[in-house]
Amino acid sequence: MLRIALPNKGRLSEEVRELFNDAGLEVRIVGDRALSASLGGEFEAIFVRSQDIPEFVADGAADAGVTGWDLVCESGRQLEQLLDLEFGRCRLVVAAREESGIASVEQIDGSPRVATPFPSLSRSYFERIGRKVEIVPVSGAAEIAPHLGIADIVVDLTSTGSTFRVNGLREVATILESTARLVTARARSPARQEDEKTRALNELVMALASVIRARDRRYLMANVPKSQLEQVRDVLPGLKGPTVVDIMDGGSYVAVHAVVAASSVYRTIAALKALGCEGILVTRIERLMP
Ligand code: AMP
């Protein structure tokens, strides 16, 4: 049984469950308290706070875990990243009060007090750039600290920057970019137990990666005049070039199937129309394994 630590609540929990569901690992809650769940087959989920997941994985209480890269880095534990899940995207930034006029870290005077829920990453960042600071650890809402007079600047996560703006703060530097990651400590565990668990873990990575890869692609089908096939090939590169299929009683048309980037579907349809294509159909892809 491979045990995977997943966030029990918070920003990442919903999307993590959705991803596992899409990969065919439906989270089935056992009992009324959602502390653990069967993921089907050889996987079991345990639900803990995102912040605790690096420790659980590093200590071997779970074989793998999903949490924010910011939390993995802050924990200082040596974990191996198996997969970037491409959601929970945010940045750890340094922010100063708007009215301070500070636009870069070089302009921050003296030894500022830094309010942050990320003391370790903040300390190493300011050490790296050769600045003396006093760290004021807070567990949340760091953005109000400068207004309360308990800090001069803050280091906190942001995705859109709106919380900072609303609180009269301006971003002056980015320390780290983060997304949710699947991490493990298995590379460091004794080789004896490797085989079965490593195989299961590799399969898990493959399943999740195939869902992530499919999310921003679409499967497109169109009936194409045979005379336009060469031009259509330029519009529809596909994974290995488009698939061309005969249509029964299709006359001068053949069917063409291809995988396209979701972001280019709009443009592609217009280009196919211009080439005289008909019966254009676009569908989502559940999984994609190249
Ligand atoms: P939680 O505290 O359980 O809600 O999870 C917070 C995690 O969500 C962080 O450690 C980040 O990895 C991620 N995250 C994504 N966007 C943001 C954001 N704008 N603010 C805070 N955390 C974010």
Side-chain angles (χ1 to χ4, degrees):
M1 202 50 121
L2 202 75
R3 187 180 282 169
I4 306 162
L6 303 179
N8 58 352
K9 55 185 176 188
R11 287 171 190 265
L12 302 177
S13 62
E14 283 264 311
E15 282 191 89
V16 171
R17 283 190 203 195
E18 208 176 290
L19 173 65
F20 275 72
N21 272 340
D22 289 351
L25 293 165
E26 196 185 341
V27 177
R28 283 191 296 272
I29 308 291
V30 187
D32 51 351
R33 289 217 304 157
L35 297 176
S36 70
S38 161
L39 285 172
E42 45 202 345
F43 302 105
E44 175 194 28
I46 54 167
F47 295 105
V48 287
R49 279 165 25 120
S50 313
Q51 287 86 336
D52 296 333
I53 289 177
E55 297 298 333
F56 273 73
V57 177
D59 293 345
D63 299 290
V66 171
T67 192
W69 186 240
D70 48 288
L71 297 170
V72 175
C73 295
E74 176 66 16
S75 75
R77 306 299 300 253
Q78 291 298 311
L79 296 175
E80 183 195 347
Q81 177 193 309
L82 294 172
L83 188 65
D84 184 343
L85 308 184
E86 298 180 16
F87 57 77
R89 197 171 290 281
C90 58
R91 293 171 300 122
L92 185 67
V93 304
V94 183
R97 277 164 64 189
E98 195 69 65
E99 63 264 28
S100 68
I102 293 167
S104 72
V105 276
E106 291 76 32
Q107 294 172 348
I108 301 169
D109 279 338
S111 308
R113 292 163 303 162
V114 183
T116 182
F118 292 85
S120 165
L121 285 174
S122 302
R123 200 168 285 121
S124 54
Y125 169 75
F126 286 105
E127 260 170 37
R128 211 164 51 239
I129 63 167
R131 291 300 308 264
K132 255 184 92 117
V133 295
E134 183 194 330
I135 302 287
V136 182
V138 295
S139 58
E143 63 278 0
I144 58 165
H147 303 291
L148 299 177
I150 59 167
D152 306 297
I153 53 178
V154 307
V155 169
D156 206 352
L157 295 174
T158 180
S159 38
T160 61
S162 66
T163 308
F164 285 151
R165 275 194 300 279
V166 166
N167 286 284
L169 298 174
R170 177 197 297 180
E171 291 177 31
V172 296
T174 297
I175 297 180
L176 182 83
E177 310 231 341
S178 178
T179 46
R181 315 274 167 104
L182 177 70
V183 294
T184 184
R186 292 200 54 76
R188 299 159 57 80
S189 60
R192 268 177 283 117
Q193 347 157 354
E194 292 285 89
D195 302 343
E196 274 305 291
K197 286 198 170 182
T198 305
R199 183 195 51 74
L201 209 49
N202 288 342
E203 283 176 10
L204 174 70
V205 171
M206 224 173 356
L208 297 177
S210 71
V211 172
I212 295 166
R213 209 178 288 121
R215 283 183 168 172
D216 55 4
R217 317 269 180 101
R218 297 292 180 270
Y219 197 68
L220 187 146
M221 294 164 258
N223 295 336
V224 174
K226 286 178 185 160
S227 59
Q228 301 289 1
L229 264 179
E230 277 308 307
Q231 286 87 324
V232 164
R233 186 209 292 272
D234 295 338
V235 177
L236 287 179
L239 285 178
K240 283 203 169 87
T243 306
V244 180
V245 193
D246 279 331
I247 306 171
M248 196 183 286
D249 301 327
S252 59
Y253 282 79
V254 284
V256 167
H257 297 195
V259 175
V260 296
S263 57
S264 73
V265 163
Y266 187 83
R267 249 188 351 262
T268 306
I269 289 176
L272 292 177
K273 278 277 181 202
L275 290 170
C277 299
E278 293 176 358
I280 300 170
L281 196 146
V282 181
T283 71
R284 287 182 181 277
I285 304 169
E286 283 192 11
R287 300 198 200 185
L288 191 60
M289 280 148 283

